[in-house]
Amino acid sequence: MNKYETLFILNPSLEEEAINANVEKFKGIVENGGGEVENVDLWGKRKLAYEINKLNEGFYVLMNFKSDAQLPKELDRVFRITDNIVRHLIINTEK
């Protein structure tokens, strides 16, 4: 099991319920894929460094998890097809 960290930015116009639903969705993908979520940190709305898709703000979420090497690929695929994700990044923290 490797340690990973993912930071994803959600659309800031989402309500709190929708934000929590998205966070739970991604936690579920990790847990159902055989991984273990260690920490989820909701950073809240922050100004983006540059405009993305006509947005100047985003809701930042940091999630640390352990999994095998295949799970981040699946998580990346789901991030790409989710409309409410503005940007995402998954890194291996053990290297």
Side-chain angles (χ1 to χ4, degrees):
M1 298 266 272
N2 296 321
K3 288 187 177 187
Y4 294 95
E5 179 176 276
T6 182
L7 178 70
F8 54 96
I9 305 172
L10 293 165
N11 190 323
S13 64
L14 294 175
E15 295 186 12
E16 187 174 344
E17 294 172 2
I19 290 171
N20 291 335
N22 277 294
V23 171
E24 290 301 319
K25 172 184 171 182
F26 300 126
K27 280 176 58 177
I29 290 169
V30 171
E31 291 168 351
N32 293 336
E36 175 187 332
V37 175
E38 294 179 333
N39 182 35
V40 176
D41 193 9
L42 303 176
W43 288 1
K45 282 187 185 179
R46 294 182 179 228
K47 186 169 172 43
L48 299 174
Y50 54 90
E51 187 176 289
I52 303 171
N53 299 332
K54 299 183 181 177
L55 297 173
N56 292 319
E57 283 187 327
F59 192 93
Y60 284 68
V61 180
L62 176 71
M63 182 168 63
N64 298 322
F65 63 96
K66 290 181 187 177
S67 73
D68 62 356
Q70 297 301 316
L71 185 64
K73 293 176 186 174
E74 173 63 16
L75 190 59
D76 182 58
R77 185 188 71 79
V78 175
F79 279 146
R80 289 179 189 273
I81 62 174
T82 303
D83 291 334
N84 293 322
I85 296 291
V86 177
R87 284 284 190 273
H88 70 279
L89 179 67
I90 303 171
I91 60 169
N92 185 338
T93 58
E94 290 187 343
K95 291 184 179 180

